[in-house]
Amino acid sequence: MKTVRDWVFSQLLYKSLVSSGPISGSGNFYDEGHQGEEHVDQGSAHSASLIVSPDPSNLLDLSSGNQSSQHTSTPHQLSGTALRQYQHSTNGRRKDPLAKIEDLQVKFFRLLQRFGQSEENLFVAKVLYRMHLATVICAEESDLKRVIHSSKRAQEIATQQESSGLPELDFSCTILVLGRTGVGKSATINSIFDETKTVTDAFQPATNCIQEFVGTLNGITVRVIDTPGLLPSSTCNVKRNKRILHSIKRFIRKSPPDVVLYFERLDFINAGYSDTPLLRLITEVFGSAIWFNTILVMTHSSSAILEGHDGKIVNFDSFVSQCTDLMQHNINQALSDTRLENPVLLVENHPQCPRNFMGEKSLPNGQVWVSQLLLCCICTKVLGDVNFLLKFQDTVELGPGRGARIPSLPHLVSALLNRSVSNPSGMDHETDEILLSDIEEEDEYDQLPPIRILSKAQFGKLSKLQKKEYLDELDYRETLYLKKHLKEDSRRRREEMLLKEQNLSDSEHPDDQQASPEPVLLPDMDLPPSFDSGWPLHRYRCLVMTDQSLSRPVLNGHGWDHDVGFDGINLEIATKLKKDVFAVVTGQMNKDKQDFSIQSECSATYVKPKGPTYSIGVDVQSADRDLVCTVHSNTKFRSIKHNIAECGFCITSYAKKHYLGAKIEDTMLIGKRLKFVMNAGQMVGAGQVAYGGTFEAAVRGRDYPIRNDNFSLKMTVLSLNKETVLSGSLKSEFRLNRSIKASVSASLNNHKMGQICIKTSSSEHLQIALVAVFSIFKMLLRRKATEKFGKQTTDVG
């Protein structure tokens, strides 16, 4: 499964920040990798990284939980000891990853001082927190004290170096710009360098070839790769866009970028915006890793905002939030992965856009976007260098099937313990034991006196007490009648078993043979609405010819008009292969234009008369683009009359990894109503071992198996990597009265996590009506909320 480093990195990805999407990742979207670790020391590591979208509300949670690594120190001179420690670590940074990360921290603090940024900035706080986690991962036990004060120490060193100007800051950043034609890529480049680097044109594409512009901003070298604009998504533009993207891919092999800026016009995004084909083409050419270090840049951010349905201007922040969410949704669709969340920056390049007192271009909300863009690029670059030092480039991948989690060993152990052998020939041994225990006794139902069934009018004339006694009598007679038929069925199976032991042929006993069942027409399907004059209901009817097999199509009730609507097929087969060999096959297959899924359970069982029961089966289930295949086998036998023992093993294969498990189980019956089940199992795979065990005590009702009233208490233990989870659950099924049944289940574990579920079913018309009214009321509330959200979206569009 996961190593300690992988687990820490997964926590860094998904839990270190409060964002719901993945926080960081890396990976190259060009063919050639890094040439050496010396490249990192020069500030030119080209691994990709990701910063979550800025949410000022998250800054408080981030900074409050990591105060030890984010101190704001006042500038002062370093002590001689600190300088000697830094010189010593700098001399050995070629071999010490921790020293290299500390060197990056010093560079980052120097950059913050040059750009006038503080640790309270959202991007800065997240980068410092991520770098602190990196030092914790690299540090050994002897370096823990050094790690605790690394951030404060790096800030002191940065202040000392900036005041003296030595050594010179060796840091560079390469930026690649992508986007459709006319969105403002070249104009943004001119704004970044505050000079005309490239020609712009408002009426036709101004960039016809790939160009690289180099400049110095606050002492750092910034390289920007300008690219020709892509054409809007259409069939005729695919070849041209693909040719442009492949030329860009060849160019960046010589000068790999640290950051990718993807441009889109903010005023062009509305409720009907969809550019998924173009985004999917970019992913196809560069690979999904390009989106790890991509920043979404929205130009024309000072354009007039649309009015709402009431004639009022929509709030700027709300408008931007909805547009960026829609853009992110399109990227996630192109990737077939919803974990990614890119940062978003707003840009305005119009010559008459607002400026602050220092002459810097600002947005309608007063934010200076040039410095924010450079800061975001620097943060992305630094995070990429950290990920490269920790060798996290290939840890996370995006795309369909790549986000699937590795199978959990405790989950596999739990599935193994819950899997049991079923008797396909009829009732299980426990039920037969209960029914046959008093088979010699005379049936009570035959000894009952006849009863007169009252009509509805006659029943209405009875008093309340008489009605209760009359219904209790009918319920009692019904219970005895069902018990009688179950006994007769059990007796018949027992006689058939004795005949098989005596090797009697079926032809000598024609009375025992059962006539083949008559064909049964299954209920009609609910077809989607259609405008066809002839209702094609007859095409979807299904006739069951035998009770051993059933196959019918899976109908999509939300299909288009004139569409057949069959997305798959459902198959159920239960047949007797030989004398004591039974086979059961159940499964469902679905297929549409893009995806294919299958769920199948196949098993074969050998039931030896008055002996053990053997079974073997294969389960197949789709998991994204891969299959989870499980081969399992179980053996059940009786050691003594009221004791049933079982053992089993399974092999699970998923994503080219194999997991082997085994279990033992013992069931003890005490009387007709008390049952104890104990089992234990183990699962081995991916270098880890998981253990599990359960103990269950169940008390059945007086009329079991006629009435399924029961109460059970279950304790479960699961252990993996010295971590143990204890959980307890209880379940009860009972009848409140003749017309109401209830089921109550509850569970709780030692992590204080649990659930409670209460279900009821009733045959009374008044109670059913109350449930229907509650469901309709809940649906109306949900529809009202949906209409309100749709109206807000329409106002923005």
Side-chain angles (χ1 to χ4, degrees):
M1 314 312 285
K2 294 183 179 179
T3 62
V4 174
R5 196 192 75 166
D6 294 336
W7 179 86
V8 173
F9 182 61
S10 66
Q11 303 303 307
L12 183 148
L13 281 176
Y14 302 104
K15 297 182 180 179
S16 62
L17 301 178
V18 294
S19 173
S20 60
I23 306 307
S24 179
S26 60
N28 297 328
F29 51 90
Y30 44 89
D31 296 337
E32 298 178 2
H34 298 276
Q35 301 299 327
E37 294 187 0
E38 294 80 7
H39 213 47
V40 178
D41 299 326
Q42 299 174 2
S44 303
H46 305 297
S47 59
S49 64
L50 171 68
I51 307 174
V52 298
S53 59
D55 185 0
S57 62
N58 296 341
L59 182 59
L60 180 60
D61 299 334
L62 180 65
S63 59
S64 60
N66 302 280
Q67 296 176 358
S68 62
S69 62
Q70 300 180 15
H71 295 286
T72 304
S73 58
T74 57
H76 59 278
Q77 296 293 329
L78 286 172
S79 64
T81 305
L83 284 173
R84 287 193 297 270
Q85 290 178 353
Y86 175 71
Q87 293 173 356
H88 175 73
S89 63
T90 304
N91 294 333
R93 68 176 180 269
R94 296 279 181 179
K95 299 181 181 180
D96 185 4
L98 183 59
K100 294 181 180 180
I101 296 177
E102 291 178 348
D103 193 13
L104 280 176
Q105 285 182 318
V106 173
K107 289 184 178 181
F108 186 64
F109 278 114
R110 293 185 66 178
L111 291 171
L112 294 182
Q113 294 182 20
R114 293 192 178 188
F115 282 90
Q117 299 291 338
S118 65
E119 298 180 29
E120 297 180 357
N121 186 281
L122 177 65
F123 292 119
V124 175
K126 291 180 178 179
V127 172
L128 292 176
Y129 177 61
R130 211 78 64 80
M131 297 178 76
H132 175 71
L133 288 180
T135 56
V136 172
I137 295 174
C138 293
E140 300 178 356
E141 294 184 2
S142 58
D143 297 327
L144 291 180
K145 293 183 178 179
R146 173 183 169 190
V147 170
I148 294 175
H149 304 286
S150 62
S151 180
K152 181 178 180 180
R153 184 165 158 268
Q155 192 172 16
E156 295 173 352
I157 296 172
T159 304
Q160 169 73 11
Q161 292 183 355
E162 281 296 295
S163 60
S164 63
L166 296 174
E168 294 184 0
L169 181 60
D170 186 7
F171 188 88
S172 64
C173 183
T174 303
I175 303 172
L176 172 67
V177 297
L178 287 175
R180 292 190 300 174
T181 181
V183 295
K185 301 186 297 296
S186 300
T188 303
I189 295 175
N190 294 336
S191 298
I192 291 175
F193 293 106
D194 198 17
E195 60 178 287
T196 304
K197 289 282 187 178
T198 179
V199 179
T200 61
D201 196 319
F203 302 100
Q204 61 182 357
T207 305
N208 298 319
C209 61
I210 303 175
Q211 306 176 57
E212 184 176 15
F213 304 99
V214 182
T216 302
L217 300 174
N218 289 335
I220 66 173
T221 302
V222 178
R223 298 182 179 90
V224 181
I225 303 174
D226 193 11
T227 60
L230 303 173
L231 296 181
S233 302
S234 65
T235 306
C236 58
N237 294 333
V238 172
K239 290 185 178 180
R240 184 182 184 278
N241 288 339
K242 187 175 294 186
R243 185 168 62 253
I244 294 175
L245 293 175
H246 279 290
S247 63
I248 297 173
K249 184 177 181 180
R250 289 191 297 269
F251 184 87
I252 61 178
R253 290 177 182 174
K254 305 175 184 178
S255 180
D258 302 307
V259 183
V260 178
L261 302 181
Y262 185 81
F263 285 76
E264 186 56 270
R265 289 185 58 160
L266 184 65
D267 55 341
F268 277 7
I269 300 179
N270 51 39
Y273 173 84
S274 177
D275 208 12
T276 306
L278 180 59
L279 299 173
R280 190 170 288 138
L281 181 61
I282 296 174
T283 306
E284 178 185 344
V285 174
F286 294 102
S288 60
I290 188 177
W291 300 108
F292 271 129
N293 64 337
T294 297
I295 301 172
L296 303 181
V297 179
M298 299 295 184
T299 60
H300 294 261
S301 299
S302 295
S303 301
I305 303 176
L306 300 179
E307 297 179 352
H309 70 284
D310 54 357
K312 296 182 180 179
I313 299 296
V314 181
N315 180 268
F316 179 78
D317 294 333
S318 175
F319 173 75
V320 171
S321 177
Q322 295 188 25
C323 291
T324 54
D325 289 345
L326 184 59
M327 186 67 190
Q328 185 67 59
H329 176 70
N330 279 266
I331 295 177
N332 293 339
Q333 278 192 327
L335 283 171
S336 298
D337 196 317
T338 59
R339 299 176 299 160
L340 183 67
E341 187 174 352
N342 298 92
V344 179
L345 292 175
L346 303 180
V347 169
E348 179 54 64
N349 298 302
H350 196 277
Q352 297 181 359
C353 72
R355 295 176 180 266
N356 62 0
F357 66 96
M358 297 181 62
E360 298 173 323
K361 295 181 179 180
S362 60
L363 300 175
N365 57 3
Q367 183 182 21
V368 178
W369 65 266
V370 175
S371 58
Q372 188 72 9
L373 186 146
L374 292 175
L375 176 64
C376 189
C377 293
I378 292 172
C379 292
T380 305
K381 159 74 175 176
V382 171
L383 285 179
D385 293 345
V386 173
N387 290 339
F388 177 72
L389 289 176
L390 296 178
K391 299 180 180 180
F392 284 157
Q393 305 96 290
D394 303 323
T395 305
V396 177
E397 294 183 355
L398 293 175
R402 299 179 179 180
R405 297 181 178 179
I406 299 176
S408 170
L409 280 183
H411 174 76
L412 295 179
V413 171
S414 179
L416 174 64
L417 296 178
N418 293 330
R419 186 182 294 115
S420 181
V421 180
S422 60
N423 191 349
S425 61
M427 295 186 180
D428 56 10
H429 296 292
E430 303 174 27
T431 306
D432 285 339
E433 187 71 26
I434 295 173
L435 293 173
L436 297 177
S437 60
D438 56 350
I439 197 170
E440 301 300 334
E441 300 179 4
E442 190 173 7
D443 291 327
E444 299 180 24
Y445 181 78
D446 296 333
Q447 302 299 321
L448 293 176
I451 184 175
R452 179 185 176 185
I453 303 300
L454 302 179
S455 64
K456 187 176 181 180
Q458 294 173 338
F459 180 77
K461 296 179 180 180
L462 299 178
S463 63
K464 187 175 181 179
L465 180 60
Q466 290 175 335
K467 289 180 180 179
K468 182 178 181 303
E469 292 178 350
Y470 177 75
L471 294 176
D472 290 341
E473 180 66 20
L474 290 181
D475 187 66
Y476 176 70
R477 287 173 177 265
E478 180 185 8
T479 302
L480 295 181
Y481 178 78
L482 294 175
K483 186 174 183 181
K484 174 185 176 182
H485 278 268
L486 284 177
K487 285 184 178 181
E488 291 177 353
D489 189 44
S490 179
R491 186 186 298 111
R492 179 183 55 80
R493 288 197 309 272
R494 190 179 186 187
E495 291 176 355
E496 290 179 356
M497 189 182 302
L498 294 175
L499 291 176
K500 292 178 182 179
E501 292 178 354
Q502 297 173 2
N503 295 325
L504 297 178
S505 60
D506 295 339
S507 59
E508 297 178 3
H509 298 273
D511 296 337
D512 295 335
Q513 298 181 0
Q514 296 182 356
S516 58
E518 297 181 358
V520 178
L521 180 64
L522 295 181
D524 292 333
M525 296 182 178
D526 294 330
L527 299 182
S530 175
F531 292 98
D532 292 340
S533 57
W535 191 249
L537 188 61
H538 62 279
R539 298 171 51 190
Y540 309 102
R541 286 175 179 160
C542 184
L543 192 65
V544 180
M545 304 298 296
T546 174
D547 59 351
Q548 295 183 349
S549 64
L550 171 64
S551 61
R552 60 182 315 186
V554 178
L555 179 66
N556 179 16
H558 301 283
W560 292 92
D561 189 24
H562 304 287
D563 188 9
V564 175
F566 286 161
D567 289 341
I569 185 173
N570 183 280
L571 180 65
E572 298 180 13
I573 298 176
T575 182
K576 182 177 180 181
L577 300 179
K578 289 186 178 180
K579 181 180 178 181
D580 298 316
V581 180
F582 303 86
V584 177
V585 178
T586 60
Q588 178 172 316
M589 180 188 68
N590 294 79
K591 177 70 173 69
D592 58 16
K593 296 180 179 180
Q594 295 181 351
D595 299 327
F596 170 81
S597 64
I598 183 174
Q599 293 182 348
S600 174
E601 296 181 3
C602 307
S603 63
T605 306
Y606 171 69
V607 182
K608 187 176 182 180
K610 295 185 178 180
T613 301
Y614 306 95
S615 72
I616 186 171
V618 179
D619 299 343
V620 179
Q621 181 178 357
S622 299
D624 294 321
R625 297 293 180 90
D626 212 333
L627 291 177
V628 180
C629 182
T630 302
V631 180
H632 55 87
S633 178
N634 292 71
T635 302
K636 181 184 289 188
F637 55 91
R638 288 197 169 198
S639 55
I640 57 177
K641 183 177 180 181
H642 297 287
N643 184 269
I644 302 175
E646 181 178 348
C647 63
F649 76 93
C650 72
I651 300 176
T652 300
S653 175
Y654 176 69
K656 299 181 181 180
K657 294 185 179 181
H658 304 281
Y659 308 90
L660 178 64
K663 75 159 186 177
I664 56 174
E665 181 174 311
D666 188 76
T667 303
M668 182 173 294
L669 305 174
I670 300 178
K672 302 178 183 180
R673 303 177 58 183
L674 193 58
K675 173 184 175 181
F676 295 98
V677 180
M678 297 167 287
N679 57 24
Q682 171 183 309
M683 185 69 68
V684 181
Q688 294 184 340
V689 182
Y691 304 91
T694 62
F695 173 79
E696 181 179 3
V699 180
R700 271 102 53 121
R702 179 183 58 184
D703 297 327
Y704 182 85
I706 311 303
R707 309 292 184 189
N708 196 27
D709 296 348
N710 64 82
F711 176 83
S712 62
L713 181 64
K714 186 176 182 180
M715 303 296 295
T716 304
V717 179
L718 295 174
S719 177
L720 175 66
N721 294 337
K722 298 182 180 181
E723 181 179 358
T724 303
V725 177
L726 303 176
S727 62
S729 62
L730 60 88
K731 183 177 181 181
S732 178
E733 297 182 10
F734 52 92
R735 293 199 308 166
L736 298 176
N737 53 44
R738 283 177 297 273
S739 60
I740 301 179
K741 295 182 180 180
S743 174
V744 180
S745 61
S747 62
L748 183 67
N749 59 22
N750 59 338
H751 293 295
K752 298 181 180 180
M753 300 175 62
Q755 65 176 2
I756 298 177
C757 180
I758 301 176
K759 297 180 181 180
T760 60
S761 61
S762 173
S763 59
E764 293 289 342
H765 297 288
L766 178 60
Q767 295 165 349
I768 295 176
L770 291 176
V771 174
V773 170
F774 176 76
S775 302
I776 294 174
F777 179 72
K778 187 176 180 180
M779 182 194 66
L780 293 176
L781 292 179
R782 187 180 304 165
R783 177 178 295 181
K784 184 177 180 181
T786 304
E787 292 177 352
K788 183 177 180 181
F789 176 77
K791 185 178 295 184
Q792 292 178 353
T793 306
T794 305
D795 296 340
V796 175

